[in-house]
Amino acid sequence: MKAQERLTDALYGLGWSTVKKLPEPVAVRLGHTIADIAWKRRGKGVERLERNYARVLPGASPERLAELSRAGMRSYLRYWMESFRLPAWSPERIRGGFAPKDVHHLTDGLAAGRGVVLALPHLANWDLAGAWVTTELKTPFTTVAERLKPETLYDRFVAYRQGLGMEVLPHSGGSAFGTLARRLRDGGLVCLVADRDLSASGVEVDFFGAAARMPAGPALLAQQTGALLLPVTLWYDDSPVMRGRVHPPIEVPTEGTRREKAAAMTQALADAFAGGIAEHPEDWHMLQRLWLADLDPAKGPA
């Protein structure tokens, strides 16, 4: 294991072992402090966050983008402070920590015996939303995690999410899709973060007026298994409670090839994500390149 990987693993381990013991007001202040320091240093992640916000708000001034990136880093650190503390939260704290709208789209689908795919962007705290589902709705679900380096860090994330009641499959290896499909055919729930393609074989979508690529998996799973495909958007306000909305189902088109249907459904997902991001851009934690023109300069200006 490289020295940098050992340091990364140690820092995450310190977060889960130490931050969860802090009183909540102390953890909030610590998150703000770390976020402000990172924002002032103007590292690559902060700069990329601002460039991504510039695509969401193309007319924003440099001052507005700087203000937004500072709020975005505070939101991002709120996610981490909450995630480090979630294993120590009581069931009552988890239930009271999330207030979603239109959950009937999810509960009605499950009650009907249909599998359900929940697809989310990197908005607010998707782990808290998942913990709420397993705690308040008492519904286990299956998700997929990106392989991280070092392996010990990936193991930490798997253990963390399993502790919240999730079944976690590795993204790589090729067997995840088949397992997800089986869970859905059995009437189960699958939750996937789906605004960034990790396979380089996703679907090209129009996202805030420019081409991006998003994973086809949620749409293909819904097609293949008959499961409902439900977009979910999340956001923070000034309270300790995270907000969210379960959007109406995305229907499978009646015409077209399998790939054409997946493309149309993925575009509908992208549109739902864009609506939530536009309303709460500071809660979109996208510190990586996403648009094709940013990934490949030959496709347009970065």
Side-chain angles (χ1 to χ4, degrees):
M1 188 188 303
K2 298 178 181 178
Q4 182 62 41
E5 292 178 352
R6 286 197 299 269
L7 176 61
T8 300
D9 181 55
L11 288 173
Y12 280 100
L14 182 66
W16 271 302
S17 65
T18 303
V19 173
K20 70 179 180 182
K21 299 176 183 177
L22 297 175
E24 192 154 339
V26 175
V28 170
R29 289 196 299 271
L30 177 61
H32 284 176
T33 299
I34 295 172
D36 289 349
I37 291 172
W39 178 77
K40 288 177 182 176
R41 288 182 174 175
R42 305 287 303 169
K44 290 182 179 180
V46 174
E47 291 183 352
R48 174 50 51 191
L49 187 65
E50 266 185 35
R51 291 190 182 110
N52 289 341
Y53 287 156
R55 289 202 180 267
V56 175
L57 300 171
S61 66
E63 293 77 17
R64 171 60 177 144
L65 292 174
E67 176 187 84
L68 194 58
S69 67
R70 184 182 186 188
M73 289 304 295
R74 284 193 168 198
S75 176
Y76 186 47
L77 263 295
R78 176 173 173 176
Y79 161 79
W80 279 113
M81 292 296 111
E82 287 178 348
S83 296
F84 288 143
R85 292 172 53 75
L86 262 176
W89 280 14
S90 67
E92 293 73 24
R93 178 68 181 88
I94 292 172
R95 293 188 189 102
F98 182 39
K101 301 176 182 178
D102 300 329
V103 180
H104 67 276
H105 292 304
L106 168 59
T107 54
D108 290 352
L110 294 172
R114 296 183 67 175
V116 175
V117 181
L118 295 180
L120 307 87
H122 286 80
L123 273 169
N125 192 337
W126 47 97
D127 285 328
L128 173 55
W132 186 89
V133 167
T134 60
T135 304
E136 174 66 15
L137 302 184
K138 295 182 171 54
T139 301
F141 64 87
T142 305
T143 189
V144 173
E146 180 183 359
R147 280 268 184 206
L148 301 172
K149 291 184 179 181
E151 190 75 15
T152 51
L153 179 58
Y154 171 76
D155 292 340
R156 286 186 192 275
F157 272 96
V158 170
Y160 157 62
R161 290 182 170 128
Q162 287 176 338
L164 298 176
M166 310 176 193
E167 179 188 21
V168 183
L169 307 176
H171 180 272
S172 59
S175 62
F177 189 92
T179 302
L180 295 173
R182 286 194 295 274
R183 299 290 183 270
L184 292 169
R185 290 194 185 97
D186 290 339
L189 176 62
V190 166
C191 299
L192 300 170
V193 179
D195 57 345
R196 186 166 70 96
D197 182 49
L198 297 175
S199 67
S201 61
V203 173
E204 188 170 316
V205 296
D206 180 275
F207 196 51
F208 291 101
R213 189 177 288 115
M214 293 186 181
L220 291 172
L221 284 166
Q223 275 192 71
Q224 187 166 311
T225 67
L228 287 178
L229 175 57
L230 303 177
V232 177
T233 52
L234 310 171
W235 65 91
Y236 291 129
D237 57 18
D238 294 330
S239 77
V241 180
M242 183 176 72
R243 311 294 172 175
R245 179 189 174 200
V246 181
H247 296 252
I250 292 175
E251 302 295 338
V252 179
T254 56
E255 297 181 354
T257 65
R258 183 169 180 259
R259 190 69 180 177
E260 288 168 345
K261 292 177 180 179
M265 295 170 74
T266 306
Q267 181 63 62
L269 265 185
D271 293 342
F273 293 167
I277 292 166
E279 290 179 0
H280 305 279
E282 68 279 3
D283 293 324
W284 189 41
H285 308 148
M286 185 55 65
L287 280 72
Q288 298 85 19
R289 297 173 187 265
L290 179 71
W291 280 271
L292 299 188
D294 297 334
L295 292 164
D296 183 358
K299 295 183 180 292

